[in-house]
């Protein structure tokens, strides 16, 4: 999310340690998440909504896992080699896929809570989910490569990530990510408001309390699900030299194991 690396070598080294430890923990949790999904798949997909939700969760976890793997590969590759461009493409694509699968989950939530009288078939919902989850990131990643190819400014000189100084192609990641975060936050607020308005006041006191607990649980789970931790990336874009923002962003996103906590 940052247009440049932080100059303080001590902070930079600390961030490297946090990143690799965090990614290790997250990758282990994501593998465990996928294994559990495989074991309980038949029992949790008894209706259409649950099925699409779990398809989204599996692909979200898979996208984040593959993105993290490519991130580590990219960190080990010489930035001057063609392999660096390939690694950057896959990092770009799979991290974008993570965000678009988050958007898919948010749209599913909005659709089932707000548009209760609308209905689509399972195959239609699945087609829309995959087009959104993988089609949109692929288009953005391919266009980014095509636009920067003539000047060979797709990657940075010193690291395997999207260029900023020459082409600002980093915006092809930052803008979609922040737009999706904003959309998801709006959807989350609308859904919670709808749930509260629909239930509170017309049910017994005990059920009101139960509903509030459900809403609180939704907030606790969906907030990280919908990528609000990445919102700290705005600070990195605006103030890339701020050490504190770098540390907070790295800790929150390196240890992104929230998908497993559901």
């Amino acid at each position: 999310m940052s247009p440049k690396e932080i100059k303080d070598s001590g902070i930079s080294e600390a961030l490297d340690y946090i990143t690799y430890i965090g990614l290790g923990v997250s990758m282990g949790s994501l593998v465990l998440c996928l294994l559990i999904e495989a074991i309980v798949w038949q029992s949790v997909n008894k209706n259409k909504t649950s099925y699409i939700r779990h398809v989204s969760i599996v692909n979200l976890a898979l996208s984040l896992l593959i993105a993290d793997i490519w991130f580590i590969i990219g960190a080990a590759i010489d930035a001057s080699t063609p392999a660096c461009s390939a690694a950057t493409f896959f990092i770009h694509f799979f991290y974008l896929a993570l965000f678009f699968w988050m958007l898919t989950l948010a749209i599913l939530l909005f659709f089932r809570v707000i548009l209760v009288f609308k209905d689509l078939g399972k195959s239609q919902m699945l087609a829309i989910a995959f087009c959104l989850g993988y089609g949109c990131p692929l288009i953005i990643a391919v266009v980014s490569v095509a636009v920067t190819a003539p000047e060979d400014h797709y990657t940075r000189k010193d690291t395997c990530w999207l260029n900023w100084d020459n082409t600002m192609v980093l915006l092809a990641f930052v803008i979609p990510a922040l737009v999706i975060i904003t959309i998801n936050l709006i959807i989350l607020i609308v859904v919670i408001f709808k749930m509260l308005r629909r239930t509170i006041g017309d049910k017994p006191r005990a059920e009101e309390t139960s509903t509030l607990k459900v809403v609180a649980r939704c907030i606790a789970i969906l907030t990280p699900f919908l990528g609000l931790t990445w919102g700290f990336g705005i600070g990195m874009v605006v103030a890339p030299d701020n050490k504190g923002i770098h540390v907070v962003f790295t800790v929150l996103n390196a240890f992104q194991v929230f998908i497993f906590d559901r």
Side-chain angles (χ1 to χ4, degrees):
M1 300 291 281
S2 176
K4 59 182 180 180
E5 294 184 10
I6 198 163
K7 296 178 181 179
D8 190 315
S9 59
I11 293 293
S12 180
E13 185 176 355
L15 293 176
D16 286 342
Y17 281 115
I18 294 171
T19 298
Y20 291 123
I21 293 172
L23 289 183
V25 173
S26 293
M27 289 166 64
S29 298
L30 290 166
V31 170
L32 185 59
C33 174
L34 292 170
L35 289 174
I36 292 175
E37 283 285 352
I39 293 171
V40 303
W41 187 258
Q42 295 298 326
S43 60
V44 298
N45 295 313
K46 296 180 179 179
N47 59 68
K48 181 170 54 182
T49 301
S50 179
Y51 177 77
I52 300 299
R53 174 177 176 266
H54 281 276
V55 166
S56 298
I57 290 172
V58 167
N59 283 280
L60 200 160
L62 190 62
S63 295
L64 182 55
L65 176 61
I66 297 174
D68 287 347
I69 292 172
W70 274 107
F71 183 92
I72 293 174
I73 293 173
I77 292 176
D78 186 344
S80 62
T81 62
C84 181
S85 295
T88 300
F89 174 83
F90 287 115
I91 296 169
H92 187 197
F93 170 73
F94 282 108
Y95 274 123
L96 278 180
L98 162 70
F99 283 103
F100 276 96
W101 278 107
M102 288 178 181
L103 179 61
T104 301
L105 271 175
I107 291 174
L108 175 66
L109 179 67
F110 181 84
F111 184 82
R112 303 310 293 176
V113 174
I114 306 299
L115 305 177
V116 292
F117 298 109
K118 303 287 185 180
D119 200 14
L120 292 173
K122 182 186 289 187
S123 59
Q124 291 175 302
M125 294 179 70
L126 202 59
I128 293 172
F130 274 92
C131 286
L132 188 62
Y134 290 123
C136 292
L138 182 61
I139 292 172
I140 294 172
V142 170
V143 169
S144 299
V145 173
V147 169
T148 57
E151 298 179 359
D152 194 24
H153 289 316
Y154 179 58
T155 61
R156 302 183 186 187
K157 294 180 180 180
D158 53 353
T159 188
C160 295
W161 186 226
L162 299 172
N163 188 288
W164 174 261
D165 294 329
N166 305 105
T167 59
M168 293 188 177
V169 71
L170 176 63
L171 293 176
F173 174 74
V174 173
I175 291 176
L178 295 181
V179 168
I180 289 174
I181 289 171
T182 303
I183 293 172
N184 287 352
L185 178 58
I186 293 171
I187 289 176
L188 185 61
I189 292 171
V190 170
V191 167
I192 291 174
F193 178 77
K194 181 71 173 180
M195 291 172 62
L196 287 170
R197 191 178 65 174
R198 178 187 297 175
T199 56
I200 303 303
D202 59 357
K203 287 190 175 184
R205 188 67 182 178
E207 292 193 28
E208 290 181 11
T209 303
S210 177
T211 301
L212 286 172
K213 290 180 180 179
V214 171
V215 172
R217 186 169 181 268
C218 285
I219 295 172
I221 295 175
L222 288 174
T223 297
F225 248 95
L226 303 180
L228 297 185
T229 55
W230 287 82
F232 284 94
I234 298 173
M236 297 182 70
V237 174
V238 176
D241 293 320
N242 189 303
K243 301 174 185 178
I245 294 176
H246 275 267
V247 172
V248 171
F249 181 84
T250 302
V251 170
L252 288 175
N253 290 284
F255 290 91
Q256 190 133 40
V257 296
F258 303 113
I259 295 171
F260 181 68
D261 182 21
R262 69 186 194 287

